[in-house]
Amino acid sequence: AQGCTGDVEFARMIRTYRSTDECPQRQGYKDWSDRRICVCVRKRPIFSQELLAKEFDCVTVANPTVVVHECRRKVDGITRFLDSHRFSFDMAFEENTPTSEVYEQTIQPLVAHVVAEGLATVFAYGQTGSGKTYTMVGIQEMITEDLFSSLQASPELCETGEVVVSYFEIYGGRLYDLLDNKARLQVMEDAKQEMQVPAQERIVRTSAELQAVMAEGNALRTTHATSWNPDSSRSHAILVIAVRKDGVPGGKLTLVDLAGSERAHDSQSHVRQRRVEGAEINKSLLALKECIRAMDVAQSHIPFRASKLTLVLREAFTSKRSRTVMFGCVSPGTASADHTVNTLRYSDRLKFGGPSSQGNGATGSYALDEDPTPRVNGDSERRDDARGRMSPKASTRAAPSTAAGARSPPRTSVPSVGVRAAFNPPRRGNPPPSSSSHQAGTGEERKRRATSAERGLTGQRPKARTERPGPASRLPR
């Protein structure tokens, strides 16, 4: 996509697509209160520096559909065409959608759920520089007003309820407290098999105090310059807002601003530390995707121990009273088209049985009528069936089927007769040696057993093997 930057013909083709009937039409927002997971996409406006670099908008958003136009050329190198990837999500927000509208449609219903002793988790995922931190900071400011308004309206929590805040980050697989001058933290598991992070907790009584605590933690977050963003967040920031009644834990809201994802190819110009950071970030994001998918299909096993991020958020995956919102933030520039497609594929695969993608088939999405079995095990079984084998759980291996609906009998295993007989073909005029099991013993005993086995098969004495003299003795004895 970077090679088409500044191509006026591609920009004209995208404008023509948006004016045709093929372009999706915007629909109204749907209520997601009856579901545990809501996957949304937000597109940021194109920056002025991108316009100076002659980039143009290649992402079309019409709720709940997102279309990414990759500008390509055919093999002749002259003919241009658009490779459009279409995705469908629970909600999709355009670049001119204010943060207040995004908050009202996605996060505001979670405040009442938290006050009612529920668990809520909000993630922001995307390429570095796609607007994740901007979205999360705006949500943090709006949550403070609604949270204390809901507490004042609740007769049970009006006087005895309190709000406790903790803020920490995960950088390089280690936890640091953002409210205690980045002190090192350890993740511990209590007797109830719940993960505990001994971060510093602060009790806040007004929305202004809560906003001050959030600003203090955001200022200490780890950031470094990369090839894509001069101020890229290199850590996962986790803000925990807990509601307690008479000191007893109740509801909890967790806001997770994930580190910017990037490919290994884009970090080749970085120093070694940036490459290690990118590898650790991608590992934790992959583990997060598998945990959310397992939670969505109600899988019995959730691999939350695959990374420190999912280990800390274990309760959000295993609790039945938890609800999750995932924001996929995308960049509209043509230079980021491939990154945008990867972000949308990641967000689309979070919901295994959710909305499917449509288009050219390169989106890697799943149909609604597909088998809801998790793809982690399904792929291995399908690959084994394609090779004519049974599933990995079977104890025997079967040969490929010779007729439709039938399998041939299992092959009889033939023990090997040694390295020389297994890899060297039999000489002309001599029958192949018989198979005999390998037994322990001295070299003379093994030769004697092989000789007796060959004699029993052929009925004649095998030819004696002549050994080549070593370099130390060239003359016959």
Side-chain angles (χ1 to χ4, degrees), residues 310-325:
T310 54
L311 184 64
V312 171
L313 302 175
R314 173 184 177 178
E315 190 177 10
F317 306 129
T318 58
S319 177
K320 296 182 179 180
R321 56 192 180 100
S322 64
R323 300 177 64 184
T324 303
V325 175

Side-chain angles (χ1 to χ4, degrees), residues 244-263:
R244 297 178 181 177
K245 179 182 178 181
D246 296 331
V248 179
K252 183 168 62 176
L253 175 63
T254 306
L255 304 179
V256 184
D257 185 8
L258 299 172
S261 63
E262 62 181 12
R263 300 175 303 179

Side-chain angles (χ1 to χ4, degrees), residues 6 21 194 217 247 258 261 263 303 350 381 385 397 407 448:
D21 296 336
E194 296 179 357
L258 299 172
S261 63
R263 300 175 303 179
L350 290 178
E381 295 178 358
D385 291 338
R397 296 173 56 184
R407 286 185 179 269
R448 188 164 52 254

Side-chain angles (χ1 to χ4, degrees), residues 20 40 56-57 93 99 179 196 208 221 234 255 304 331 360 368 375 385 397 407 444 456 461 470-471:
T20 60
C40 310
F56 49 87
D57 188 358
F93 302 98
T99 306
L179 300 181
Q196 302 293 339
R221 188 177 176 186
R234 309 304 295 170
L255 304 179
F304 59 88
S331 302
N360 60 358
L368 289 175
R375 188 170 289 266
D385 291 338
R397 296 173 56 184
R407 286 185 179 269
E444 295 296 334
R461 192 179 190 88

Side-chain angles (χ1 to χ4, degrees), residues 165-385:
V165 183
S166 60
Y167 205 175
F168 58 92
E169 70 173 0
I170 302 178
Y171 174 69
R174 299 178 180 178
L175 276 70
Y176 299 92
D177 194 347
L178 296 179
L179 300 181
D180 191 15
N181 198 19
K182 285 192 174 183
R184 281 285 305 273
L185 301 174
Q186 298 293 334
V187 183
M188 296 176 289
E189 186 174 359
D190 58 10
K192 299 180 180 179
Q193 296 184 350
E194 296 179 357
M195 311 311 299
Q196 302 293 339
V197 179
Q200 184 180 106
E201 296 181 345
R202 296 187 183 180
I203 300 177
V204 293
R205 295 176 176 82
T206 61
S207 60
E209 294 181 6
L210 180 57
Q211 292 182 5
V213 173
M214 293 177 180
E216 179 183 351
N218 293 331
L220 293 178
R221 188 177 176 186
T222 303
T223 58
H224 292 293
T226 63
S227 58
W228 283 86
N229 187 6
D231 193 21
S232 175
S233 300
R234 309 304 295 170
S235 64
H236 305 305
I238 302 177
L239 173 66
V240 181
I241 304 176
V243 179
R244 297 178 181 177
K245 179 182 178 181
D246 296 331
V248 179
K252 183 168 62 176
L253 175 63
T254 306
L255 304 179
V256 184
D257 185 8
L258 299 172
S261 63
E262 62 181 12
R263 300 175 303 179
H265 173 75
D266 300 324
S267 61
Q268 291 180 356
S269 60
H270 298 167
V271 295
R272 181 180 179 275
Q273 184 180 1
R274 301 289 89 77
R275 295 195 298 268
V276 173
E277 291 173 358
E280 186 67 29
I281 291 171
N282 293 337
K283 175 185 174 182
S284 59
L285 294 177
L286 177 61
L288 175 63
K289 179 188 70 173
E290 296 300 330
C291 290
I292 295 180
R293 289 179 60 187
M295 179 182 63
D296 186 40
V297 299
Q299 188 176 348
S300 59
H301 172 68
I302 299 179
F304 59 88
R305 297 185 185 273
S307 71
K308 193 63 66 69
L309 173 64
T310 54
L311 184 64
V312 171
L313 302 175
R314 173 184 177 178
E315 190 177 10
F317 306 129
T318 58
S319 177
K320 296 182 179 180
R321 56 192 180 100
S322 64
R323 300 177 64 184
T324 303
V325 175
M326 168 65 77
F327 285 102
C329 302
V330 297
S331 302
T334 52
S336 305
D338 48 354
H339 294 274
T340 301
V341 172
N342 291 334
T343 300
L344 296 178
R345 286 175 177 171
Y346 180 94
S347 303
D348 183 65
R349 291 172 181 174
L350 290 178
K351 300 189 67 175
F352 187 86
S356 62
S357 307
Q358 303 172 358
N360 60 358
T363 56
S365 60
Y366 314 116
L368 289 175
D369 56 351
E370 192 173 352
D371 184 10
T373 306
R375 188 170 289 266
V376 177
N377 297 331
D379 282 348
S380 60
E381 295 178 358
R382 278 189 283 271
R383 286 195 298 267
D384 290 335
D385 291 338

Side-chain angles (χ1 to χ4, degrees), residues 23-42:
C23 182
Q25 301 298 322
R26 189 180 186 277
Q27 303 177 10
Y29 299 115
K30 297 182 180 180
D31 184 21
W32 68 280
S33 58
D34 57 339
R35 288 172 291 176
R36 294 186 61 187
I37 299 177
C38 178
V39 181
C40 310
V41 173
R42 189 183 190 188

